């Protein structure tokens, strides 16, 4: 999932990054012999764009954390024929999905133990600069 969201995140074009990412992913999966079609991307283009945002967006002071959960649902529909409901309303950062909140709770505990958001920032800085 990080592979797909990472391609989108670099924003190589002024317009059409999501469409380009979708075409690239389809072509990439086809090189492995998978009979992937563009229909899931076409039918859920706005959702696909928004799950790419959710897979990359963090706002730690507001308790918002990047999650690939919704991107995984999208790819499960694409690759395994599942029929997860792909609705943009489920992507809202105030969604009460317990799987997403558990990551927030864990980070909240970590923040309390390390001095809040400043502590998290210091840890992230150390991680990036080691």
């Amino acid at each position: 999932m990080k592979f797909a969201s990472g391609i989108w995140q670099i924003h190589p074009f002024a317009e059409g990054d999501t469409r380009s990412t979708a075409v690239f992913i389809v072509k990439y999966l086809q090189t492995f012999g998978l009979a992937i079609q563009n229909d899931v991307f076409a039918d859920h283009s706005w959702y696909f764009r928004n799950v790419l945002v959710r897979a990359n967006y963090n706002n730690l002071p507001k308790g918002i954390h990047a999650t690939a959960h919704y991107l995984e649902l999208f790819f499960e529909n694409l690759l395994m024929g599942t029929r997860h409901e792909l609705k943009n309303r489920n992507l809202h950062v105030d969604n009460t999905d317990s799987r997403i909140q558990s990551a927030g709770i864990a980070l909240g505990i970590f923040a309390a133990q390390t001095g809040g958001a400043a502590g998290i920032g210091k840890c992230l800085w150390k991680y990036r600069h080691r």
Side-chain angles (χ1 to χ4, degrees):
M1 300 315 111
K2 188 65 180 162
F3 176 68
S5 68
I7 293 168
W8 177 84
Q9 186 181 29
I10 61 171
H11 286 66
F13 306 108
E15 185 66 35
D17 292 314
T18 303
R19 290 184 303 272
S20 299
T21 301
V23 169
F24 178 82
I25 294 297
V26 167
K27 295 295 184 188
Y28 178 73
L29 293 172
Q30 287 173 344
T31 65
F32 294 103
L34 298 170
I36 302 299
Q37 300 301 318
N38 195 36
D39 56 337
V40 174
F41 292 98
D43 294 344
H44 301 285
S45 59
W46 189 240
Y47 178 88
F48 181 60
R49 182 259 182 211
N50 289 337
V51 298
L52 292 170
V53 171
R54 285 291 280 129
N56 287 287
Y57 180 71
N58 287 293
N59 188 331
L60 298 180
K62 292 186 177 184
I64 301 167
H65 313 282
T67 176
H69 171 71
Y70 302 105
L71 191 56
E72 290 169 5
L73 297 178
F74 180 86
F75 277 106
E76 285 177 11
N77 283 8
L78 176 69
L79 298 171
M80 295 188 267
T82 57
R83 297 197 171 269
H84 296 295
E85 179 182 57
L86 304 178
K87 299 289 185 185
N88 283 303
R89 68 175 171 258
N90 297 335
L91 304 175
H92 293 189
V93 293
D94 61 350
N95 188 347
T96 58
D97 187 328
S98 62
R99 293 167 292 197
I100 305 308
Q101 284 200 343
S102 64
I105 292 168
L107 192 56
I109 293 168
F110 176 76
Q113 293 172 342
T114 60
I120 294 171
K122 287 177 189 173
C123 290
L124 292 174
W125 188 89
K126 286 179 185 177
Y127 176 77
R128 288 184 185 149
H129 295 90
R130 57 183 168 143

